[in-house]
Amino acid sequence: MLHQKLREYAKLLLTSGVNLQKNQTLFISVDVESKEFAYIVTEEAYKMGCFEVVVNWRSIPVAKQRLLYARENALIRQPNWLSAYYKTYVDRKSAFLSLISANPKAFSEVPPKRLAMQGKSLNDALSFYHQAIMGSQLTWCVASVATLDWAEALNYTGTNDEKISALWMDILRLCRLVDVPEEEYITSHLTNLKKRTERLNALNLEALHYTCSNGTNLTIHLPEGHIWQGGTELANNKIEFNANIPTEEVYTAPQFNGVNGIVYATKPLIYQGNMIKNFYFKIERGDIIEIHAEKGQEILEELISTDFGSHFLGEVALVDHYSPISQSNKIFYETLYDENASCHLAIGAAYPTCIANNEGKSAEQLRDRGINYSMVHVDFMIGHEDMNIVGIKKDKTTVPIMEHGRLLV
């Protein structure tokens, strides 16, 4: 039964996810530990008439050894072939599928500065790829794969096979593929998310004000012409795709210099294989001016210091506290899942597609309109059962957006 469900999951990623077209190239990034599922996706892609499947294999143990022991010059300078490799498939308008899994302690022994060195050099080398993704110049999707490391981090019990199988069934359930009524199946769910974005866009809000019993008190101004997105979206070539599976969020871009107040994270953030826990930011005119973390302070400081744009926010996302992922009562240690259990914000780059008339605009032109640019985009979770959000309209009247964790739009 599980094998058949994994084929259905693979088909979902290729259809509702990247929306693979006949004679299109599929570019898969995946850990070698997940090779069996990669084989399934590859086979299903060829059945759909794929031109070719290109697999970009990763290995966490090898990556860790490199980060610990490679010469610094190797970390700060990426080889020319890497950017050429990605550019080949970006230029071909390939569909990009990233298959990920959580390993919250993967790089816990690596000095933060070495992580930052490699992260910055990779972002520099692949900036064109990240811009293509952020600007929806390509169809792309991020989804997860069950692994033993992840299952053990979540305290599944039994044999190794039983742990992995149990995690797979949770993934399928939370992706709305099994054990859900027809009206909550993923296709219907994506339609409902689209309707929510339409209602939010009709409000044409000027700002959002967040308050919560944990101390969050934050006002986020929204740029003129902002657009709420959620569920499926259109790439520049008018092909519909879904960037995240699962997804529970609707999101837009904040006015990058229009955020003020204090905000507390409500779930751990796993960044570059390290855990950042119990942290908050104080923000003035968009700039993160104060950081405090009970765990992972140095990692968080390195992240915020990546570039000018990493001092600001690039995404504001709304998620009902009572989403299926939230109600599972698990911290998944994987942003793809934890962000879909909780309202969240993102440090760094905004999606240019979150503002009208963005096509052909430079990063400077978009920033003039309030859209942040950075080499990083890192989500952190702020949702809470006591979260209240009020929308402020241009005439200063208000409309309730969330009350005690429940979305009202």
Side-chain angles (χ1 to χ4, degrees):
M1 173 188 168
L2 178 58
H3 185 76
Q4 181 56 38
K5 288 298 180 184
L6 292 184
R7 287 206 170 269
E8 292 180 27
Y9 181 52
K11 291 175 184 177
L12 175 72
L13 303 184
L14 295 172
T15 53
S16 293
V18 298
N19 196 357
L20 184 67
Q21 304 294 295
K22 190 173 182 178
N23 293 322
Q24 186 180 22
T25 295
L26 175 66
F27 187 101
I28 306 174
S29 292
V30 61
D31 292 337
V32 293
E33 293 85 354
S34 301
K35 59 183 181 298
E36 287 84 3
F37 184 66
Y39 299 158
I40 294 173
V41 176
T42 298
E43 183 178 358
E44 294 300 328
Y46 280 124
K47 287 179 181 178
M48 292 174 60
C50 181
F51 177 77
E52 68 170 334
V53 177
V54 176
V55 182
N56 178 34
W57 296 106
R58 303 177 305 231
S59 169
I60 288 177
V62 171
K64 181 178 180 179
Q65 294 300 310
R66 173 184 170 83
L67 283 162
L68 284 171
Y69 303 117
R71 297 290 186 266
E72 283 193 2
N73 281 349
L75 299 181
I76 64 176
R77 295 179 61 184
Q78 297 300 318
N80 292 336
W81 67 261
L82 181 64
S83 55
Y85 175 54
Y86 272 80
K87 192 172 188 307
T88 296
Y89 298 105
V90 169
D91 288 348
R92 290 184 187 177
K93 303 297 182 185
S94 305
F96 284 78
L97 176 62
S98 181
L99 299 174
I100 61 175
S101 61
N103 189 338
K105 298 180 180 179
F107 302 131
S108 58
E109 300 166 25
V110 179
K113 288 191 176 180
R114 288 179 68 85
L115 283 166
M117 283 178 192
Q118 177 166 280
K120 187 177 186 305
S121 66
L122 281 169
N123 284 327
D124 283 341
L126 300 178
S127 60
F128 66 92
Y129 165 70
H130 296 304
Q131 289 176 27
I133 292 292
M134 297 291 286
S136 295
Q137 298 169 29
L138 306 163
T139 60
W140 59 281
C141 181
V142 180
S144 49
V145 183
T147 63
L148 181 60
D149 284 335
W150 192 8
E152 291 184 338
L154 296 178
N155 297 316
Y156 287 89
T157 59
T159 66
N160 289 348
D161 285 345
E162 287 170 344
K163 294 173 187 175
I164 294 172
S165 294
L167 177 54
W168 265 126
M169 290 308 297
D170 274 349
I171 288 172
L172 296 172
R173 188 176 301 110
L174 296 175
C175 289
R176 298 174 181 263
L177 272 177
V178 299
D179 298 338
V180 293
E182 185 176 346
E183 65 272 14
E184 293 183 17
Y185 192 75
I186 186 166
T187 49
S188 299
H189 172 62
L190 293 174
T191 298
N192 290 333
L193 285 178
K194 188 61 65 178
K195 291 177 180 177
R196 178 168 282 164
T197 66
E198 291 169 356
R199 291 192 291 269
L200 282 163
N201 284 323
L203 290 173
N204 194 22
L205 297 172
E206 182 178 83
L208 296 167
H209 183 213
Y210 292 68
T211 55
C212 186
S213 60
N214 66 358
T216 289
N217 190 342
L218 191 72
T219 300
I220 300 177
H221 282 82
L222 304 175
E224 185 70 30
H226 69 274
I227 298 171
W228 288 92
Q229 299 188 102
T232 56
E233 61 184 280
L234 287 177
N236 291 357
N237 59 6
K238 306 305 179 186
I239 295 176
E240 196 171 39
F241 72 101
N242 184 8
N244 290 167
I245 294 179
T247 183
E248 301 286 339
E249 67 176 318
V250 292
Y251 65 94
T252 191
Q255 174 73 30
F256 86 95
N257 58 356
V259 182
N260 293 279
I262 186 168
V263 62
Y264 285 80
T266 52
K267 291 178 183 288
L269 167 62
I270 307 301
Y271 179 65
Q272 295 186 332
N274 286 267
M275 184 183 294
I276 304 167
K277 191 175 180 181
N278 296 337
F279 62 96
Y280 69 81
F281 297 136
K282 287 185 179 179
I283 305 174
E284 288 185 3
R285 294 186 293 276
D287 193 357
I288 299 171
I289 62 168
E290 185 177 328
I291 304 166
H292 177 79
E294 182 180 296
K295 181 178 181 179
Q297 174 90 12
E298 190 176 355
I299 297 287
L300 193 56
E301 289 173 349
E302 291 284 356
L303 167 60
I304 300 299
S305 300
T306 301
D307 55 24
F308 176 79
S310 60
H311 290 264
F312 300 85
L313 301 181
E315 181 184 346
V316 49
L318 304 176
V319 179
D320 196 298
H321 179 72
Y322 300 94
S323 74
I325 298 175
S326 179
Q327 292 304 291
S328 71
N329 294 316
K330 289 182 180 178
I331 296 174
F332 284 89
Y333 303 112
E334 171 49 62
T335 298
L336 176 63
Y337 278 73
D338 290 334
E339 73 172 4
N340 283 299
S342 172
C343 287
H344 54 276
L345 304 171
I347 299 161
Y351 291 97
T353 52
C354 285
I355 197 165
N357 303 317
N358 65 82
E359 297 86 356
K361 300 294 190 298
S362 67
E364 292 76 16
Q365 289 171 321
L366 289 169
R367 185 171 275 151
D368 286 343
R369 297 185 60 195
I371 298 296
N372 194 34
Y373 173 77
S374 173
M375 290 191 296
V376 298
H377 176 96
V378 179
D379 296 299
F380 65 98
M381 281 52 77
I382 66 169
H384 192 283
E385 62 184 357
D386 289 333
M387 176 68 76
N388 295 299
I389 305 174
V390 173
I392 304 170
K393 302 179 80 171
K394 292 184 178 180
D395 61 4
K396 307 308 177 186
T397 59
T398 61
V399 57
I401 301 297
M402 174 174 281
E403 289 183 355
H404 300 294
R406 179 72 73 183
L407 276 174
L408 304 177
V409 290

